[in-house]
Amino acid sequence: MSQVGSAPVTMDAHDGEADELPPPPPVPANVVPIKADDVESEVPANKPAKPKRFPMARPGLGRKGQPIQLLANHYKVSVKSSEEYFFHYNVILKYEDDRPVDGKGVGRKVIDKLQQTYRSELSSKDFAYDGEKSLFTIGALPQVTNEFTVVLEDVSTGKTAANGSPGGNDSPGGSDRKRVRRPYQTKTFKVELCFAAKIPMNAIAQAIKGQESENSQEALRVLDIILRQHSAKQGCLLVRQSFFHNNPNNFVDLGGGVMGCRGFHSSFRGTQSGLSLNIDVSTTMIVKPGPVIDFLLANQKVDHPDRIDWQKAKRALKNLRIRTTPVNSEFKIIGLSDRNCNEQMFSLRQRNGNNGDVDEVEVTVYDYFVKNKGIELRYSGNLPCINVGKPKRPTYFPIELCSLIPLQRYTKALSTLQRSSLVEKSRQKPQERMSVLNDALRRSNYDSDPMLRASGISIAQNFTQVEGRVLQPPKLKAGNGEDIFPRNGRWNFNNKKLIQTCSVDKWAVVNFSARCDVRNLIRDLIRNASAKGIQMAEPFDVFEESPSLRRAPVSRRVDDMFEQIKSKLPGAPKFLLCLLPERKNCEVYGPWKRKCLAEFGIVTQCLAPQRVNDQYLLNLLLKINAKLGGINSLLQIEASPSIPLVSKTPTIILGMDVSHGQPGQSDRPSIAAVVSSRQWPLISKYRASVHTQSPKLEMMSSLFKPRGTEDDGLIRESLIDFYTSSGKRKPDHVIVFRDGVSESQFTQVINIELDQIIEACKFLDEKWSPKFTVIVAQKNHHTKFFQSGSPDNVPPGTVVDKQVCHPRNYDFYMCAHAGMIGTTRPTHYHVLHDEIGFSPDDLQELVHSLSYVYQRSTTAISVVAPICYAHLAAAQVGTFLKFEDMSDASSSQGGHTSVGSVPVPELPRLHEKVRSSMFFC
């Protein structure tokens, strides 16, 4: 019987082998087939709905601006056309007793050994293996069923561990006879390769033309897996598509037992000019290799093992890999012993010399290593042992015999000092970065890779030339009708006043033990305010923290300060200037902000007065003026108003972002912020609404939250505020800037999130149908631009929408800011949906202009202001929650874990007096 259609069924990793489907039965003559979309109502509820919107195609290219020749860190790739197929196999790894293999890292060793052992049975095929469940070949494997037995010499079994069977085979010394015969412990694996799908190699050509299909994305994924495998074979640490060599020249010490490790990112991308290989510098954090005790001393910043906090040590060491001496075996740490080395007992089996019976004797780990093994231990006796065994069957090593192996990722949160050290030490000027990247490509030696060669891939050795354009900076308006002409992405208010100023009266100063001359600070602040047109009265009072409270719990310090304020002030202050003792991570900051903004509705500005001069005070006044309702400068096109499509029709601009807890805080709720413009036709004034949502959830879950006749979502607040602040007009245009989503989530943004926004609008007024434009901004990508023939960064206002952009979709790169240090990172804007109908030039000009309305500084910023404000609002309101965690009795913050089990804690609502202010500024 002939097959109908040769496309195989794609199976998931847990399914068995995929057989091709039999042909459908013939349709009887009297039956009219129903079209698939007529039976949509019968689709079971658990099937995801088909997306109804897809990212839009590029409508054209921008033309405005001064042309500029640039280079991009994309290397052109030529692809020979091929009628071959990539065959995808699911890899099932089991031990001899059919237990599934769960440990990571062993897969590659097993597959390498499989290739060596069964070369002829596999007709010498090369593999592209992702290290886990997917393996690809070019052309099919010879057999249909591919089941193999692979024997690995097991490098990670210790012969001298203290676990009752140090030889690992239930004889105390691993009976010498056996040891001679089998120098290694071996482990046997069963490997099954199940056919899953075949992907035509000409799908790579489709990807380049922008005809994205599942096949074309899969084909590029295979090429990326080949890159990963190529680096894995060179002994690199792999972090997604970034690769790190074990080369001490690439390490920088960040303190605390942590090193920054410089490597490079490498991935294939389909672009307008064909396939390109994108290579960029990448940095990750690793644990400092070497003796475990040295790591613990550095990590805890103590100078003697007696001072180590072993509970902390246990958390820091869990799951790290060590090498032990003198046997040179490798293990994973599962914990520490309960007792010190010279007290921790275990049962040792010993052969009785007379009759050959085995006796069990209790012995300490210390005595076993010193007396039985003859190993001298200098300092481990009264320290805990490292446990590398199983939960029910511990295996102990004295700590001084253990060293951390190189290239192990450090995944916990960095301290502020470590982070700034990492940033400082990994910066590179454009020229240096270019030569490092060219060098990385040469060293990678991709041309030697048999799988890449067989895929018909060859990679050019030079950067891609790109034509960019430099947009004119927008003119700004200051006070008294004066113009400001930004140059090189910067401007200043020298001899100028702010355009709309607030008056600062009914205010006071609170000082949480910051050392400074408060009287002088106030005098200088009032003088600078007056010069900028801000009327600032004398403060009502200065409230000093009582010295006895400096060590008190933070909530008590804040409460006490408010008691002082209440008892001495005639009424509630409008503004409080708060002096903090340290600049970063001051514990008072979160509780203080929460008290002022949520409980009392008082605008507050914090500062740590270490190096105060007039420039510092001007920056402070820019923030104070914006928070109290003023505006520092406006765009000329906003003041006139003449922004295409925005000034003529009521338009609201939204900035949306979700911020997650730092690494190592997996149970901290994520915080979703929506910032929205107000007082149309302005685009410089914003307000923010913030909600918590489930940890690590990137999609916004609270844009629309109907409860009966109410909607508690983030969007409703924004729409109502726009209406009341814009002369009772509803927005007919809604422009959404969304941050922090990857390309795989774009369809969710324009289907799920956009639908929620539309529903929030309909909930307010069923007949109201505004037009939407949705733009995603990405900073975490790897495309960089360089000026050909100049050591400088690209000039501010540089926009690129040719050569290295998406072959079909509507995207562009924008460098709005002046890169002062390191290499400028452009923002990658993706226009997913545009019902408003901007021309490419108008949209790029709008995005550029929105980098000039950030009220906190006198520079153009690298991403549009509404997104920056959303970050700020999420971060500031997030400090309210940190305070709740700290006041929680348990150190594990167990109160609000995962979705479904325990509800996510809700944030306190901001007081209505400050709800529509720029409190986040």
Side-chain angles (χ1 to χ4, degrees):
M1 187 170 76
S2 66
Q3 291 281 57
V4 177
S6 60
V9 190
T10 305
M11 303 293 274
D12 286 331
H14 50 260
D15 290 330
E17 272 189 51
D19 295 320
E20 295 194 355
L21 286 179
V27 178
N30 59 345
V31 173
V32 181
I34 306 175
K35 273 205 202 128
D37 50 8
D38 293 347
V39 291
E40 227 169 60
S41 55
E42 295 167 38
V43 174
N46 57 357
K47 273 208 168 171
K50 271 205 161 164
K52 56 185 181 200
R53 301 184 194 97
F54 292 94
M56 67 181 287
R58 185 185 305 281
L61 297 170
R63 293 201 168 77
K64 281 190 179 173
Q66 188 70 32
I68 183 172
Q69 288 306 312
L70 303 170
L71 296 170
N73 58 341
H74 285 232
Y75 297 87
K76 283 207 166 100
V77 176
S78 57
V79 188
K80 287 200 188 93
S81 68
S82 165
E83 295 305 307
E84 278 281 12
Y85 285 82
F86 287 122
F87 277 72
H88 177 187
Y89 294 89
N90 288 324
V91 179
I92 299 167
L93 290 181
K94 293 178 185 162
Y95 294 110
E96 238 171 332
D97 57 2
D98 283 340
R99 281 181 304 125
V101 175
D102 50 1
K104 274 196 174 177
V106 73
R108 284 192 195 276
K109 288 179 190 156
V110 173
I111 296 293
D112 283 350
K113 187 73 194 230
L114 171 94
Q115 250 183 316
Q116 289 166 23
T117 316
Y118 297 99
R119 197 126 195 103
S120 57
E121 288 90 330
L122 298 164
S123 56
S124 303
K125 277 209 176 296
D126 287 307
F127 292 168
Y129 176 49
D130 73 350
E132 293 187 17
K133 294 208 166 92
S134 291
L135 183 144
F136 298 87
T137 57
I138 295 175
L141 291 176
Q143 293 106 289
V144 180
T145 30
N146 291 286
E147 291 187 26
F148 305 94
T149 303
V150 175
V151 179
L152 268 195
E153 288 162 350
D154 187 10
V155 286
S156 69
T157 27
K159 310 293 182 298
T160 55
N163 67 353
S165 57
N169 50 21
D170 285 352
S171 64
S175 84
D176 294 331
R177 205 161 37 88
K178 271 188 179 171
R179 198 163 280 189
V180 173
R181 212 175 54 227
R182 260 173 75 184
Y184 284 101
Q185 297 263 126
T186 58
K187 248 190 192 149
T188 303
F189 296 89
K190 292 179 180 171
V191 184
E192 211 179 316
L193 304 179
C194 303
F195 172 75
K198 59 181 196 176
I199 303 147
M201 287 172 70
N202 61 18
I204 300 169
Q206 288 178 317
I208 302 166
K209 292 184 193 130
Q211 299 163 349
E212 281 196 358
S213 64
E214 215 148 289
N215 272 343
S216 65
Q217 286 168 342
E218 274 297 284
L220 289 187
R221 187 170 86 95
V222 178
L223 295 183
D224 280 346
I225 287 169
I226 298 172
L227 294 182
R228 281 174 61 84
Q229 174 175 280
H230 184 83
S231 292
K233 288 194 164 148
Q234 297 174 347
C236 289
L237 162 67
L238 310 184
V239 183
R240 291 182 293 277
Q241 285 299 129
S242 293
F243 315 123
F244 303 91
H245 286 269
N246 184 18
N247 176 355
N249 293 341
N250 297 338
F251 301 163
V252 289
D253 200 328
L254 306 177
V258 183
M259 323 267 293
C261 175
R262 186 180 291 165
F264 63 95
H265 164 96
S266 169
S267 67
F268 287 102
R269 296 188 70 84
T271 68
Q272 290 138 310
S273 51
L275 191 63
S276 69
L277 178 68
N278 177 205
I279 296 189
D280 193 20
V281 173
S282 185
T283 305
T284 192
M285 281 81 69
I286 57 170
V287 172
K288 193 171 186 174
V292 168
I293 198 76
D294 292 354
F295 166 72
L296 291 176
L297 294 172
N299 188 248
Q300 300 194 10
K301 299 184 176 60
V302 291
D303 54 3
H304 195 279
D306 292 350
R307 298 214 172 97
I308 289 174
D309 171 340
W310 291 99
Q311 278 311 103
K312 259 191 195 167
K314 189 173 170 180
R315 285 198 297 272
L317 291 174
K318 193 170 165 67
N319 293 332
L320 290 177
R321 298 191 74 82
I322 51 165
R323 190 162 276 128
T324 58
T325 50
V327 216
N328 203 20
S329 296
E330 202 180 288
F331 299 96
K332 184 159 94 175
I333 299 176
I334 70 155
L336 299 172
S337 58
D338 297 331
R339 299 205 160 108
N340 287 344
C341 184
N342 53 18
E343 297 165 354
Q344 181 68 50
M345 308 292 285
F346 73 101
S347 301
L348 175 64
R349 295 191 184 90
Q350 277 188 330
R351 191 157 290 164
N352 190 320
N354 306 331
N355 54 14
D357 290 347
V358 174
D359 300 336
E360 285 206 1
V361 291
E362 288 290 306
V363 58
T364 66
V365 176
Y366 183 84
D367 285 348
Y368 170 75
F369 277 91
V370 172
K371 294 178 181 164
N372 293 39
K373 290 288 158 196
I375 295 169
E376 184 195 353
L377 295 178
R378 288 174 301 119
Y379 60 81
S380 297
N382 48 11
L383 302 177
C385 307
I386 300 283
N387 178 5
V388 297
K390 299 272 183 296
K392 295 234 163 67
R393 187 157 178 239
T395 302
Y396 296 120
F397 280 98
I399 202 161
E400 72 187 80
L401 302 184
C402 303
S403 277
L404 293 165
I405 64 168
L407 290 185
Q408 299 193 74
R409 274 186 87 193
Y410 180 81
T411 53
K412 298 179 178 63
L414 291 181
S415 69
T416 311
L417 270 171
Q418 286 172 323
R419 180 167 305 174
S420 56
S421 169
L422 177 68
V423 169
E424 198 176 311
K425 290 172 177 170
S426 50
R427 273 184 200 138
Q428 289 171 314
K429 286 270 179 225
Q431 297 295 80
E432 185 193 349
R433 184 169 286 232
M434 283 171 81
S435 69
V436 165
L437 294 180
N438 283 324
D439 193 43
L441 179 65
R442 272 196 299 280
R443 284 190 190 188
S444 301
N445 193 13
Y446 287 135
D447 290 343
S448 70
D449 190 285
M451 274 299 274
L452 281 181
R453 275 215 305 270
S455 307
I457 293 284
S458 61
I459 299 163
Q461 295 295 304
N462 303 323
F463 278 21
T464 299
Q465 294 199 329
V466 179
E467 198 178 295
R469 292 168 290 113
V470 183
L471 302 179
Q472 282 291 311
K475 291 195 189 77
L476 302 175
K477 295 298 259 186
N480 299 339
E482 290 194 70
D483 290 331
I484 300 177
F485 300 96
R487 288 189 52 194
N488 199 22
R490 317 175 75 79
W491 63 95
N492 61 54
F493 281 105
N494 294 351
N495 310 321
K496 291 185 176 68
K497 292 189 163 29
L498 308 183
I499 192 163
Q500 285 179 20
T501 52
C502 60
S503 59
V504 186
D505 50 7
K506 290 195 185 163
W507 72 287
V509 180
V510 298
N511 183 7
F512 283 100
S513 308
R515 286 204 287 272
C516 93
D517 181 343
V518 182
R519 289 283 155 217
N520 267 345
L521 176 76
I522 293 167
R523 191 193 63 226
D524 290 345
L525 188 64
I526 292 173
R527 171 174 57 78
N528 276 283
S530 164
K532 294 292 151 248
I534 297 172
Q535 293 179 330
M536 196 170 206
E538 287 287 330
F540 186 86
D541 206 341
V542 175
F543 298 98
E544 295 281 354
E545 180 173 50
S546 148
S548 62
L549 282 173
R550 268 176 217 177
R551 302 264 176 281
V554 64
S555 53
R556 194 169 147 223
R557 293 172 69 185
V558 170
D559 288 346
D560 184 81
M561 190 61 88
F562 262 93
E563 285 311 314
Q564 277 198 61
I565 293 169
K566 279 184 196 161
S567 63
K568 293 202 182 145
L569 289 186
K574 276 200 335 204
F575 172 69
L576 289 171
L577 187 69
C578 171
L579 310 184
L580 298 175
E582 59 260 359
R583 268 188 62 216
K584 294 275 184 203
N585 298 348
C586 179
E587 61 169 8
V588 177
Y589 182 88
W592 172 257
K593 287 282 183 186
R594 178 182 174 140
K595 197 86 167 168
C596 289
L597 296 172
E599 284 185 41
F600 291 100
I602 299 168
V603 173
T604 174
Q605 175 61 52
C606 295
L607 75 151
Q610 271 130 7
R611 290 190 293 275
V612 176
N613 55 23
D614 280 2
Q615 185 57 53
Y616 180 95
L617 291 174
L618 171 62
N619 290 346
L620 199 71
L621 286 162
L622 294 179
K623 288 158 62 106
I624 293 170
N625 188 48
K627 285 178 181 180
L628 287 169
I631 300 179
N632 302 327
S633 60
L634 284 175
L635 298 166
Q636 193 181 38
I637 50 172
E638 174 183 23
S640 52
S642 56
I643 305 168
L645 298 177
V646 171
S647 299
K648 298 282 179 281
T649 308
T651 301
I652 187 171
I653 298 175
L654 303 177
M656 304 191 338
D657 180 43
V658 178
S659 71
H660 308 289
Q662 287 181 310
Q665 303 174 329
S666 55
D667 54 357
R668 175 155 292 168
S670 294
I671 295 176
V674 172
V675 160
S676 56
S677 62
R678 54 200 313 267
Q679 293 181 18
W680 175 83
L682 297 185
I683 59 168
S684 289
K685 284 200 96 162
Y686 293 86
R687 46 101 60 206
S689 303
V690 184
H691 276 197
T692 45
Q693 59 184 41
S694 304
K696 302 280 173 276
L697 178 66
E698 188 47 67
M699 285 296 114
M700 291 194 149
S701 60
S702 48
L703 295 171
F704 175 56
K705 286 174 83 174
R707 290 188 186 168
T709 56
E710 284 301 305
D711 166 16
D712 291 345
L714 291 165
I715 294 297
R716 178 191 171 93
E717 278 186 44
S718 305
L719 295 173
I720 290 174
D721 176 79
F722 181 90
Y723 181 77
T724 51
S725 69
S726 307
K728 299 234 157 64
R729 286 190 188 84
K730 288 186 203 129
D732 291 323
H733 291 167
V734 180
I735 302 173
V736 179
F737 285 99
R738 177 70 161 93
D739 187 33
V741 288
S742 60
E743 287 171 42
S744 60
Q745 295 165 315
F746 285 177
T747 49
Q748 285 172 280
V749 171
I750 47 176
N751 287 285
I752 301 167
E753 290 187 346
L754 180 54
D755 273 352
Q756 285 192 28
I757 298 172
I758 292 169
E759 285 194 56
C761 294
K762 295 284 182 208
F763 201 85
L764 280 168
D765 178 353
E766 190 56 49
K767 297 190 191 71
W768 171 39
S769 299
K771 291 180 176 170
F772 292 91
T773 291
V774 180
I775 301 167
V776 167
Q778 286 178 333
K779 293 281 287 185
N780 284 347
H781 59 83
H782 288 280
T783 296
K784 302 282 189 302
F785 297 111
F786 305 88
Q787 287 199 63
S788 36
S790 162
D792 296 333
N793 268 312
V794 298
T798 299
V799 63
V800 172
D801 59 4
K802 287 183 186 168
Q803 280 109 340
V804 291
C805 291
H806 194 281
R808 174 199 169 271
N809 296 356
Y810 187 9
D811 65 334
F812 59 91
Y813 292 92
M814 169 89 68
C815 300
H817 64 302
M820 305 310 279
I821 36 187
T823 305
T824 297
R825 180 190 292 184
T827 300
H828 192 183
Y829 290 100
H830 302 260
V831 186
L832 302 185
H833 188 74
D834 179 26
E835 296 169 357
I836 297 174
F838 287 97
S839 71
D841 275 327
D842 286 346
L843 195 62
Q844 289 168 13
E845 289 271 8
L846 176 65
V847 165
H848 187 220
S849 297
L850 283 170
S851 300
Y852 280 78
V853 301
Y854 189 59
Q855 299 296 306
R856 287 163 48 113
S857 72
T858 54
T859 57
I861 52 174
S862 63
V863 67
V864 291
I867 281 180
C868 269
Y869 290 147
H871 283 307
L872 292 172
Q876 187 166 130
V877 179
T879 62
F880 295 4
L881 269 188
K882 286 180 192 165
F883 169 50
E884 284 180 348
D885 289 345
M886 290 193 295
S887 63
D888 204 323
S890 80
S891 64
S892 67
Q893 304 163 7
H896 12 268
T897 46
S898 61
V899 205
S901 56
V902 180
V904 175
E906 287 206 5
L907 289 165
R909 264 180 84 71
L910 293 185
H911 195 284
E912 58 188 353
K913 282 201 239 164
V914 292
R915 212 169 281 162
S916 289
S917 73
M918 288 178 74
F919 68 86
F920 44 79
C921 218

